[in-house]
Amino acid sequence: MKRKFKGFTGSMVVALLLAGSLILGGCSSGKSSTAGSETAEPYKVGAVLDISGTSSSLGTPERDTLLMMVDKINAEGGIQGHPIELIIEDNKSDETEAVLAANKLIEKGVLAVLGGSSSGTSMAIIKTVQDAQIPMISLAAASSIVEPAAERQWVFKTAQSDIVMINKIVEYLKKNNMTKIAFMYMNNAYGDNGKKAISAAAPQNGITIVAEEKFDATDNDMTPQLTNVKSSGAQAVVVWAIPPSASILTKNYKDLGLTIPLIHSHGVGNQKFIELAKDAADGVILPIGKLPVADQIADSDPQKAVLTSYINDYQNKYNTAPNSFGGYAADALSLLVKAIEKAGPDRSAIRDELEKTQGLVGVSGVFNMSKQNHNGLSEDSAVLVQIKDSKWKILQ
């Protein structure tokens, strides 16, 4: 009997029929068996993740989440009797490697590609999946990954888009009567999309960007840029970056004695940022999904049960707390499993079902996709938090 997949409600993913195999970095060879009985052919799912390199703090928890979830799905029966064969490729946080990895997965006959972890590696493989007509679910934030949707028919994503998070920041700035900000960003696709979003939103809300500074993801010192910011008259500094550069900047910020609010993006939403920035992270404000503060949200929140289930599963498996990036991977696989359940092993039908997704409660929010919106998350998927004593606290 066909079962309905309801995000992570109750369990984290769909519970179906048979156990199967899980392959990392390779491809399985066909049929699996449970209790001596032969099962259906596995459904191949590919993942292109930033497991090593500068974005490894994103890709590692994403890999671990996918491994955990596929293990669980297969143990509970796979997708309508078909075990998932997960093939993970490490793109080394490199855009060229990401394209090579995507092509390798396509040659292996995957039904869909999950990833990349970062905006740059995600953007790099869009043409590859579009040309091959294979559904892709990115785990990265840049709006341009899925926009314009008319030119991204095969591309979806699970991380909240830049503009969703920018709007949360603007809300904070207006509430605190801050009209002059400095904006600092990484010199890559993630940073560029953050700049695009803040440049559009600021003037519409009476906010002036009085200083703008760029740095590379591999830079080891942002003191020169921060020195310029310090003399700019800004009332707050907004930064669009990920660790390790985001952590280095934060330490430089404290060393220079800057006291105006430091507001990061959701790109620092993992414990790695705090570990690298150490006590300089205290006081940092950022918009983020609800996962790190799941114990602080109301029981009536529609995501509460899903978040609790994911946190418990991850902690039991890895003896550490999950982070938002793992959550993006969890949502990507959930969306895909639900689509395959309805469409079967047909890439075009899977794409269509992804686009029809409505009301799927995930780790990152409640997904409502459409032809015009291949992200499907709104501002209620995020909260504003402040780091205090190395912990995330909802900012009231």
Side-chain angles (χ1 to χ4, degrees):
M1 182 178 74
K2 183 177 180 180
R3 300 184 186 179
K4 295 294 184 183
F5 178 67
K6 298 179 180 179
F8 297 97
T9 304
S11 172
M12 194 164 58
V13 288
V14 63
L16 293 170
L17 300 175
L18 304 168
S21 62
L22 172 63
I23 302 298
L24 171 61
C27 148
S28 79
S29 58
K31 298 183 178 180
S32 306
S33 63
T34 299
S37 62
E38 195 171 74
T39 68
E41 287 286 340
Y43 287 155
K44 294 182 179 179
V45 172
V48 179
L49 303 177
D50 303 26
I51 298 170
S52 60
T54 55
S55 301
S56 61
S57 64
L58 283 59
T60 302
E62 292 167 351
R63 174 201 60 193
D64 293 344
T65 292
L66 292 178
L67 290 171
M68 177 188 73
M69 288 183 64
V70 169
D71 201 17
K72 184 171 183 177
I73 292 170
N74 286 341
E76 295 178 346
I79 303 174
Q80 296 170 335
H82 295 267
I84 296 175
E85 180 183 319
L86 178 64
I87 309 171
I88 299 178
E89 297 287 344
D90 177 11
N91 63 38
K92 304 172 186 173
S93 305
D94 180 88
E95 295 173 11
T96 300
E97 291 283 350
V99 174
L100 294 173
N103 279 316
K104 189 183 296 184
L105 292 174
I106 292 168
E107 290 172 2
K108 291 180 177 177
V110 298
L111 292 175
V113 173
L114 309 180
S117 309
S118 65
S119 297
T121 53
S122 294
M123 293 292 292
I125 62 177
I126 286 175
K127 185 178 187 307
T128 302
V129 299
Q130 287 272 124
D131 289 349
Q133 298 191 338
I134 291 181
M136 162 186 163
I137 307 177
S138 165
L139 315 179
S143 305
S144 56
I145 294 169
V146 293
E147 295 176 357
E151 298 174 8
R152 302 281 195 268
Q153 298 96 328
W154 296 86
V155 183
F156 302 82
K157 77 183 190 76
T158 54
Q160 295 92 344
S161 289
D162 308 298
I163 191 61
V164 170
M165 297 310 201
I166 287 289
N167 286 339
K168 298 295 289 188
I169 292 172
V170 166
E171 182 182 317
Y172 169 83
L173 294 171
K174 293 175 71 174
K175 182 179 178 181
N176 289 279
N177 300 314
M178 296 176 182
T179 58
K180 296 186 291 183
I181 64 167
F183 185 70
M184 302 181 70
Y185 61 106
M186 285 198 308
N187 183 24
N188 60 20
Y190 181 63
D192 288 342
N193 276 275
K195 176 192 172 187
K196 183 179 178 182
I198 193 74
S199 297
Q204 295 173 5
N205 290 279
I207 297 167
T208 302
I209 301 173
V210 296
E212 185 178 292
E213 297 288 341
K214 184 186 290 189
F215 53 90
D216 287 326
T218 54
D219 282 356
N220 293 316
D221 186 2
M222 291 71 167
T223 301
Q225 294 96 326
L226 284 166
T227 300
N228 294 335
V229 165
K230 191 173 184 179
S231 61
S232 69
Q235 297 166 304
V237 180
V238 178
V239 182
W240 227 250
I242 65 172
S245 61
S247 301
I248 294 170
L249 183 150
T250 302
K251 293 175 73 173
N252 295 156
Y253 195 90
K254 182 179 180 182
D255 291 342
L256 275 176
L258 280 157
T259 56
I260 56 177
L262 176 58
I263 306 171
H264 273 282
S265 72
H266 51 328
V268 304
N270 61 27
Q271 202 62 27
K272 194 70 175 178
F273 167 73
I274 297 176
E275 291 173 7
L276 294 175
K278 302 186 185 311
D279 61 346
D282 270 10
V284 165
I285 295 168
L286 67 145
I288 196 171
K290 299 172 185 173
L291 179 66
V293 290
D295 61 341
Q296 300 172 47
I297 64 174
D299 291 342
S300 58
D301 190 293
Q303 290 180 251
K304 185 80 173 189
V306 173
L307 292 166
T308 301
S309 176
Y310 174 58
I311 291 168
N312 289 340
D313 285 349
Y314 196 95
Q315 286 182 329
N316 289 337
K317 178 77 173 180
Y318 297 113
N319 198 32
T320 188
N323 63 36
S324 299
F325 300 100
Y328 301 148
D331 291 337
L333 186 59
S334 298
L335 286 161
L336 181 60
V337 168
K338 183 175 176 64
I340 295 175
E341 183 189 42
K342 292 181 177 178
D346 180 308
R347 291 167 176 166
S348 180
I350 291 169
R351 191 220 75 86
D352 292 346
E353 290 298 334
L354 285 170
E355 196 171 78
K356 293 177 189 173
T357 299
Q358 288 291 304
L360 189 144
V361 181
V363 174
S364 310
V366 180
F367 290 87
N368 292 292
M369 302 279 190
S370 69
K371 274 190 175 181
Q372 295 76 34
N373 186 346
H374 282 193
N375 177 221
L377 293 178
S378 59
E379 288 175 34
D380 62 8
S381 66
V383 292
L384 209 59
V385 303
Q386 187 168 32
I387 300 172
K388 292 183 178 178
D389 299 325
S390 299
K391 305 292 184 186
W392 316 92
K393 303 290 184 185
I394 291 180
L395 194 61
Q396 303 297 333

